Amino acid sequence: MAKTTLTTSSGAPVSEDNNSISVGQRGPLTYDNHYLFEKLAHFNRERIPERVVHARGTGAYGSFTLSKSLSDFSIASFLQTPGDKTEVFLRFSTVGGGQDSSDYARDPRGFAVKFYTDQGNFDLVGNNTPVFFLNDPIKFPDFVHSQKKDPRTNLPNPAKMFEFWANHPQSLHQMTILMSDRGIPYSLRHMHGFGSHTLSFWNKAGERFWVKWHFKTDQGIKTLTEEEAVKMSPFGAQQDLVESIDKGDFPSWTVKVQIMPEAEARSYSVNPFDLTKVWSHKDYPLIEIGKLELNRNVDNYFAETEQAAFAPSNLVPGIGASPDKMLQARLLAYQDAHRYRVGANVNQIPVNAPRCPVQHYQRDGAFAGMCPAHGGELATNNQGAGINFYPNDQIHQGEPAPDAQFTAPPMPVLEDAWIGHHDQSDEDYFSQAGDLYRLMSDHQKQQLVSNIVGGLSMATESVQARMVEQFTKADADYGSRVSSALKA
Ligand code: HEM
C-alpha cells in the first residue's frame, strides 16, 4: 500500500471518501457503510470536557536554564549545576471564560509550567499575580460560580462578582490587582508569572525552607485599557505567541525565588501561608536563579495543549508543599480533574509523560500502554510481563522498590495544634491592598476606580456599601474615590 493511501483507523485502504454506499442514485444508505459510521462515530467523540476553570489556553515548549546552584537549599536535581537546561511546557490561560472566549478578558492569566526533570515532572501551576482571591479552598466553587456566567441568562454578571467580593474581604488584594491597569495583559509575553503559593525546598541535611517563585517577563510589562481590549481580535494573544515563536523571537522570563528559613514562618509579620498576601521583597529579597525561554510551538493543539495536565502535586525530591490551605486542596483537585477530563493514564500522553524512566505497579485502565516515552518500551505494552505487585521476590532482579534517600523531612507543625474549623475573620486583609493602592500613580488610581465602578455600579446598594467600606479600610482615599465615582 502506498504511503499516501487513505486508510480506516484500523489501517485498511479506503477506496471512496466522497460518496456513501447507496441503494441507487435516489435511494437510502445501507449498513455496509461501516467507514461512514466510523467517521461519524469518531466525530461524535472528538471533544473531551473542557477544564472547569482555565478552559481557554495556549501552550508552548521551551527550556529553563539554571544560573545559580540551589544545592544549599534543595536536592532537586535540576537546581544543582549552573548551566543545566531542563525542558519545560508552559500553558497560559484565562480563568473564567470557556474554550472559545476572548483572550482579552479582565481576568487573571494562568501561568502553568511543567519542568520535565530527570527525577520526575515538577509542575508550578501559578498565575500572573502573586496572590489569589481566597485563602481557604472551601470557598473555591462558590467563588468560581460567582465569577462565571449567570445560571439563567448565561451572561457574565458583574453584580454577582461584586456580591461575592463584598462578602469576602480576603479577596480585596487580588481584586485590586485585577481591577488595576495590570488587569488585562497586552500579550502572554508581556506579563510576569508567579507560583503564588508558598512551596518549600529541602536540602541534604534535611533542612526545609519556604519558597515563592517569580517569573519576571524580559519583554516588559504591557497592558491594555478596557477600551483598547474590546478592539482586539478574540484570539490575538494566542496568535501573538505562536507567531513570535514561529519567527524565532523567543519570549523569556527571568526566574527568581524568595526563600524563608523554616523557623521564621512562626514569627513573620504576616502568615506566610496565606495566599492573599505577599512577602515583602525587603524582608525576603528576590534571588535570581535562571532563565525560562519558550522556543517551540506545539504540533497539535488538542494532543498537546488541550491534553496537558498540570498538578500542584507533581513535586520532585527537594521540592515540597507547605501548610498553605489552598495548596493542600489543590494537591488533590488537579489529579482528580485529570482523571475525569483526560483519563486514568493521563501521564502516558506524550505532553505529560516524564522524560525519565517511570517504574511502578499501576496497571491497565483506558488506553494503557500509549506512550513510548513513558518508561521506555515497557509502557507501550502496559509494562509487559513485569510483576504487578509490591513487595515481590524479584526486587533483586531489578523490579522497582522505594528508595529511602528521597525521604522528605517531616512538615513542621508551626503552632499548638488543634483540630476544628479555623476562623480568619479578624485577619488583616486591608493593609497590603492599601500598600498597593498607595504605590499607584494618580492615573493608575483613576483607571482602577473606573474599572471597579464599571461593574460595581450594577450591584445592589448594600453590596456597594460593603465594598466601599473595604476600600476605605485599605486606604481612605481609595474608599472616597470609589464612593464619589459611584454617586457620579
Ligand atoms: C482550592 C483552590 C483551587 C482549586 C480547587 C482549583 C481547581 C482547578 C481545576 C479543577 C482546574 C482544571 C484542571 C484540569 O482540568 O486540568 C484548574 C486549573 C488551573 N488552576 Fe486552579 N484551582 C484552585 C486554585 C488555583 C490557584 C490559587 C491558582 C494560581 C495561583 C490556580 C491556577 C490554575 C491554573 C493555571 C490552571 C490551568 C492549568 C492548565 O493550564 O492546564 N488555581 N484549577
Side-chain angles (χ1 to χ4, degrees):
M1 183 168 62
K3 258 192 167 166
T4 51
T5 302
L6 178 71
T7 72
T8 62
S9 63
S10 56
V14 170
S15 59
E16 165 65 85
D17 196 24
N18 283 320
N19 301 295
S20 306
I21 300 167
S22 158
V23 184
Q25 280 301 357
R26 300 191 176 190
L29 302 184
T30 64
Y31 251 86
D32 51 359
N33 271 294
H34 51 81
Y35 174 59
L36 164 69
F37 302 153
E38 176 184 307
K39 279 181 76 172
L40 294 183
H42 192 274
F43 177 71
N44 285 354
R45 291 162 180 79
E46 280 181 6
R47 296 284 176 273
I48 58 174
E50 67 174 33
R51 290 168 178 78
V52 62
V53 281
H54 295 263
R56 171 147 189 72
T58 304
Y61 297 92
S63 60
F64 166 68
T65 309
L66 187 73
S67 59
K68 177 182 168 55
S69 173
L70 288 167
S71 58
D72 286 347
F73 303 103
S74 173
I75 66 161
S77 57
F78 75 114
L79 299 178
Q80 303 303 303
T81 314
D84 271 7
K85 260 189 195 327
T86 305
E87 187 188 355
V88 300
F89 182 72
L90 200 165
R91 182 174 178 273
F92 302 99
S93 47
T94 52
V95 183
Q99 236 163 34
D100 284 337
S101 55
S102 169
D103 283 350
Y104 295 102
R106 179 172 297 282
D107 204 6
R109 298 295 184 269
F111 194 101
V113 191
K114 191 180 285 295
F115 295 81
Y116 302 97
T117 90
D118 61 3
Q119 291 190 336
N121 291 349
F122 165 49
D123 291 357
L124 201 56
V125 197
N127 278 339
N128 67 334
T129 54
V131 295
F132 194 69
F133 298 96
L134 305 172
N135 59 10
D136 189 317
I138 204 166
K139 298 311 307 171
F140 189 76
D142 304 282
F143 164 67
V144 172
H145 289 169
S146 75
Q147 309 294 301
K148 283 191 151 234
K149 292 177 184 165
D150 182 282
R152 188 179 73 83
T153 61
N154 201 34
L155 296 168
N157 188 339
K160 295 293 174 208
M161 297 179 182
F162 277 97
E163 188 173 328
F164 182 90
W165 290 328
N167 286 311
H168 295 88
Q170 63 188 265
S171 301
L172 183 66
H173 192 183
Q174 170 80 325
M175 195 225 68
T176 301
I177 298 174
L178 182 65
M179 292 295 157
S180 77
D181 59 316
R182 295 249 171 136
I184 312 179
Y186 168 80
S187 88
L188 303 168
R189 298 178 296 129
H190 294 88
M191 60 185 201
H192 299 324
F194 299 88
S196 309
H197 291 281
T198 296
L199 296 179
S200 57
F201 281 155
W202 50 274
N203 65 15
K204 233 191 271 166
E207 295 161 322
R208 197 183 284 273
F209 303 85
W210 309 116
V211 181
K212 283 191 182 286
W213 290 72
H214 301 247
F215 299 78
K216 297 285 185 191
T217 172
D218 293 331
Q219 291 64 242
I221 292 281
K222 244 172 130 176
T223 57
L224 295 170
T225 62
E226 207 78 38
E227 296 70 37
E228 290 163 339
V230 291
K231 294 189 202 129
M232 302 295 283
S233 124
F235 295 95
Q238 173 149 308
Q239 188 178 354
D240 172 84
L241 186 75
V242 172
E243 288 180 359
S244 59
I245 293 176
D246 272 349
K247 66 174 191 245
D249 180 8
F250 301 142
S252 64
W253 286 260
T254 301
V255 184
K256 302 186 177 188
V257 288
Q258 285 177 289
I259 300 182
M260 178 189 290
E262 183 185 277
E264 290 179 21
R266 294 169 202 271
S267 53
Y268 190 48
S269 54
V270 299
N271 173 0
F273 310 113
D274 180 340
L275 185 55
T276 66
K277 311 234 166 77
V278 292
W279 301 353
S280 148
H281 294 188
K282 278 195 207 110
D283 298 337
Y284 297 100
L286 295 176
I287 305 167
E288 184 171 332
I289 63 160
K291 214 35 125 191
L292 182 134
E293 176 189 88
L294 295 181
N295 50 32
R296 179 161 68 90
N297 279 314
V298 299
D299 285 330
N300 185 283
Y301 180 85
F302 180 87
E304 295 161 88
T305 308
E306 190 55 18
Q307 295 195 111
F310 297 86
S313 53
N314 284 348
L315 300 165
V316 293
I319 300 186
S322 81
D324 178 331
K325 295 173 174 52
M326 291 285 285
L327 175 61
Q328 287 176 353
R330 296 181 73 204
L331 297 176
L332 168 78
Y334 287 67
Q335 290 194 328
D336 179 47
H338 301 155
R339 289 180 197 111
Y340 160 69
R341 187 171 69 80
V342 189
N345 287 310
V346 56
N347 284 328
Q348 293 190 26
I349 293 172
V351 66
N352 301 320
R355 306 311 193 231
C356 61
V358 175
Q359 297 144 190
H360 55 60
Y361 297 98
Q362 295 166 21
R363 293 293 190 278
D364 310 346
F367 313 120
M370 274 180 293
C371 178
H374 186 91
E377 279 173 20
L378 280 181
T380 56
N381 194 20
N382 195 21
Q383 305 201 46
I387 191 156
N388 60 357
F389 61 92
Y390 176 83
N392 60 69
D393 293 346
Q394 280 82 69
I395 284 174
H396 58 286
Q397 294 165 16
E399 294 296 334
D403 185 342
Q405 68 165 309
F406 298 115
T407 310
M411 191 63 79
V413 177
L414 294 161
E415 56 204 332
D416 292 342
W418 46 264
I419 294 176
H421 293 292
H422 68 109
D423 176 5
Q424 300 194 81
S425 51
D426 64 351
E427 265 285 331
D428 172 10
Y429 296 118
F430 308 104
S431 297
Q432 291 200 350
D435 290 344
L436 177 63
Y437 178 80
R438 288 181 286 277
L439 278 178
M440 293 181 189
S441 67
D442 196 56
H443 180 62
Q444 286 172 316
K445 287 176 182 167
Q446 281 169 25
Q447 273 195 54
L448 169 72
V449 170
S450 135
N451 293 332
I452 289 174
V453 169
L456 185 55
S457 57
M458 297 180 207
T460 61
E461 273 182 24
S462 152
V463 166
Q464 292 181 7
R466 276 174 284 158
M467 287 306 309
V468 169
E469 196 184 319
Q470 288 186 29
F471 299 135
T472 308
K473 281 188 183 162
D475 187 285
D477 180 60
Y478 190 1
S480 75
R481 283 201 201 210
V482 174
S483 172
S484 317
L486 279 171
K487 282 178 197 135

